[in-house]
Amino acid sequence: MTTGIIDYGGGNLYSVVNALNYLERPAQLIKNPEDMQNIQKLIFPGVGSFAAAVNDLKKRELFKPIQAWIESNRPYLGICLGMQLLFARSSESPEARGFGVLSGRVEKFRAKRIPQIGWNRVKWVRENYLSSRLQGEPFFYFLHSYHVSEEQGSAPWTLGLAEYEGITYPAAVHLENIWGVQFHPEKSGQVGLQLLKNWLDWDGDIVVNCKNYSLPGC
Amino acid sequence: MLTVRIIPCLDVDNGQVVKGTRFKELKYAGDPVELARQYYLEGADELTFLDIGASPREEVTVLDLVRKVAREIFIPLTVGGGIRSTEDMRKALEAGADKVAICTAALNNPDLISQGAHRFGSQCIVLSIDAGFSGDCWYAYTHGGRKNTGKPAIEWALEGQALGTGEILLNSIDRDGTQDGYDLELLKEISSRVSIPVIASGGAGKLEHLAEGITVGKADAILLASLLHYKQTTIPEIKEYLEKKGVRVRC
């Protein structure tokens, strides 16, 4: 099973590549649509601004293929901006449009210190495959100025919450084949590697409305 | 709830970790890859590599080292020293760095901050300020603390923030390596005036100093070298102490 890692020129994807190498999982950089032909899973590690990422993806003719990938129920993991782009709009770039596969918006922290930089806890709101084999409310490394809005905290796809300066917001999301994390598992030590391993181990089957959360895909 | 970051700093010169006092009298302090691995396993929240030889002697940075470290250490890595262009930044990021620290080059060319932030995102850019007190206030210094630019440190911090730096690494050149404690006045002044995170550096000699840097100096993170390299304390010991003092740390 080969995992594609989106390289749109802006993000720091090398740490994700290093993590997959460390976990001994085949990885392939995706620089153009043709690169997506022989992969089974897709990771989008995004950093930088919402609009810049959208523009760079469009320039490389990757935007629509990624959107099609997601919409055709294939496994997707968005990291940081890669998670935010699942939503249509961000207050960072009012003109730009993300993939829009989850409803809700991304907004700027109303906090004294921006960006949030450092290790913060994630509280899982339901049992799920991503956090299996992780203890309690683990620490992950966060680095961001924008976040999925607090209102989405009760959305059905919200998987985990983090709290920063009194703002509680979705830090992990999951809907069928789509997974997203605001934090950087590839930079979160052993816990982060375990989370990545969980996702890589998931067989990609979508189990909708599952009652037994120990099943893959839930 | 966000925790305070403990960041070991490896000052590297010709592939070895060194540590000096007030930026001079360099002493050998260990093998960088070994130290990095040890600090990672002990619970370091990030690691910083500064090529201190780079600025005065116009050498390149410690990219081979970072390349090696990034393959087995999965916490954020910052690289500084000798980064003069967005091309240098790209090379550092490609080697596995998550952030780049810029000091002299940013003072020579402040646009480098905005160019870097635009191309790689603000989260990538750490503005390193070597601040020293002279006459009436703190000034930004270059060339490893040897040259006073005449620019007040606070002005430079605010300018850096406006240009898009993601955080500030504030190093007191008066306290560097002395182990007399942080320059708390400097730290307080800068961290209360900017809205981005401030990393305290220079002068910590005992655990009390670290707590002071956070509670009095209002630092968001602390950068440490001598205290750790010379085994005066360990990361677990630091975290345990800070937790007792009511500072939130990652356990």
Side-chain angles (χ1 to χ4, degrees):
Chain A
M1 174 127 45
T2 301
T3 300
I5 300 171
I6 303 287
D7 177 4
Y8 64 100
N12 180 19
L13 48 108
Y14 304 97
S15 42
V16 177
V17 175
N18 279 328
L20 263 66
N21 287 340
Y22 185 84
L23 295 168
E24 298 177 337
R25 304 304 170 101
Q28 187 187 329
L29 291 185
I30 309 294
K31 294 176 191 240
N32 57 60
E34 291 74 48
D35 293 337
M36 289 172 75
Q37 278 166 9
N38 299 312
I39 58 163
Q40 286 74 46
K41 291 192 171 187
L42 187 62
I43 298 183
F44 186 179
V47 294
S49 91
F50 195 90
V54 169
N55 289 337
D56 286 342
L57 287 174
K58 285 186 174 163
K59 233 182 274 167
R60 291 177 183 233
E61 296 180 342
L62 279 169
F63 189 88
K64 282 196 170 144
I66 297 173
Q67 200 166 30
W69 175 279
I70 297 171
E71 285 171 353
S72 60
N73 286 338
R74 280 174 284 181
Y76 173 95
L77 173 64
I79 297 175
C80 196
L81 187 64
M83 166 189 171
Q84 296 182 1
L85 284 166
L86 290 168
F87 298 84
R89 291 160 192 268
S90 169
S91 66
E92 184 175 17
S93 318
E95 313 295 310
R97 290 290 172 274
F99 301 126
V101 291
L102 298 181
S103 58
R105 26 189 199 92
V106 175
E107 54 193 41
K108 192 164 192 176
F109 271 126
R110 272 169 306 203
K112 278 190 285 184
R113 275 279 191 267
I114 300 174
Q116 169 178 219
I117 304 182
W119 297 74
N120 202 339
R121 284 189 191 276
V122 170
K123 185 179 177 178
W124 306 103
V125 297
R126 56 184 159 95
E127 271 189 72
N128 67 90
Y129 197 64
L130 205 60
S131 70
S132 59
R133 284 167 279 188
L134 302 182
Q135 303 280 315
E137 298 177 12
F139 280 105
F140 292 99
Y141 187 80
F142 286 80
L143 208 180
H144 60 124
S145 301
Y146 292 81
H147 65 95
V148 177
S149 82
E150 283 179 277
E151 294 150 26
Q152 304 305 315
S154 52
W157 51 79
T158 293
L159 201 59
L161 298 166
E163 184 271 326
Y164 180 60
E165 290 198 25
I167 300 156
T168 301
Y169 63 95
V173 297
H174 172 222
L175 180 69
E176 300 178 352
N177 60 313
I178 308 166
W179 305 79
V181 289
Q182 178 60 64
F183 50 84
H184 291 269
E186 77 284 8
K187 284 287 149 186
S188 298
Q190 293 302 320
V191 173
L193 290 173
Q194 180 64 54
L195 182 140
L196 277 176
K197 194 165 172 291
N198 288 346
W199 188 78
L200 293 164
D201 282 344
W202 166 52
D203 61 9
D205 275 354
I206 299 162
V207 183
V208 190
N209 297 328
C210 50
K211 302 219 163 50
N212 181 355
Y213 287 121
S214 62
L215 284 174
C218 288
Chain B
M1 193 80 75
L2 189 68
T3 52
V4 165
R5 289 169 284 156
I6 311 297
I7 311 174
C9 178
L10 308 176
D11 290 342
V12 179
D13 190 37
N14 295 329
Q16 292 187 324
V17 177
V18 294
K19 192 59 210 162
T21 304
R22 294 193 182 86
F23 284 51
K24 292 173 199 117
E25 301 159 36
L26 297 178
K27 279 191 283 190
Y28 173 69
D31 173 68
V33 180
E34 274 304 308
L35 280 174
R37 193 179 293 136
Q38 182 195 329
Y39 295 148
Y40 171 58
L41 294 174
E42 286 180 355
D45 296 313
E46 288 187 26
L47 286 176
T48 293
F49 292 86
L50 292 180
D51 189 345
I52 56 151
S55 216
R57 272 181 276 143
E58 308 290 332
E59 277 176 22
V60 282
T61 57
V62 284
L63 300 191
D64 289 334
L65 219 59
V66 171
R67 220 166 270 128
K68 233 189 243 174
V69 167
R71 273 189 226 125
E72 52 173 308
I73 289 177
F74 297 97
I75 52 174
L77 306 174
T78 302
V79 170
I83 291 185
R84 294 181 193 84
S85 62
T86 54
E87 192 50 27
D88 289 341
M89 292 178 185
R90 190 187 61 77
K91 283 184 193 155
L93 298 176
E94 262 186 33
D98 301 282
K99 315 181 199 180
V100 290
I102 46 176
C103 180
T104 301
L107 277 158
N108 291 341
N109 171 24
D111 285 341
L112 183 60
I113 300 172
S114 46
Q115 286 162 5
H118 183 74
R119 185 154 165 206
F120 308 108
S122 284
Q123 83 291 332
C124 261
I125 314 296
V126 180
L127 178 60
S128 175
I129 303 181
D130 288 344
F133 198 82
S134 177
D136 52 343
C137 74
W138 294 276
Y139 290 93
Y141 280 67
T142 58
H143 295 86
R146 289 193 294 273
K147 201 172 136 200
N148 185 347
T149 60
K151 193 184 269 256
I154 180 67
E155 268 179 35
W156 180 224
L158 289 167
E159 193 181 333
Q161 174 176 307
L163 288 167
T165 186
E167 54 191 325
I168 287 172
L169 167 56
L170 183 62
N171 191 32
S172 160
I173 60 171
D174 304 318
R175 298 295 179 91
D176 180 70
T178 63
Q179 305 214 329
D180 292 340
Y182 292 113
D183 187 337
L184 293 174
E185 291 305 312
L186 167 69
L187 202 47
K188 242 189 325 197
E189 170 85 3
I190 305 270
S191 63
S192 65
R193 299 275 301 274
V194 299
S195 61
I196 51 181
V198 175
I199 307 164
S201 162
K206 47 184 181 182
L207 294 174
E208 287 89 327
H209 293 155
L210 305 181
E212 277 172 6
I214 298 155
T215 56
V216 183
K218 305 287 177 205
D220 300 276
I222 46 183
L223 193 84
L224 290 171
S226 335
L227 257 184
L228 291 173
H229 303 336
Y230 298 126
K231 318 233 180 306
Q232 289 165 277
T233 183
T234 63
I235 294 164
E237 209 171 79
I238 291 170
K239 290 196 169 180
E240 198 183 320
Y241 175 84
L242 290 177
E243 206 163 26
K244 270 190 211 145
K245 291 277 163 186
V247 176
R248 281 185 206 89
V249 290
R250 173 175 69 115
C251 44

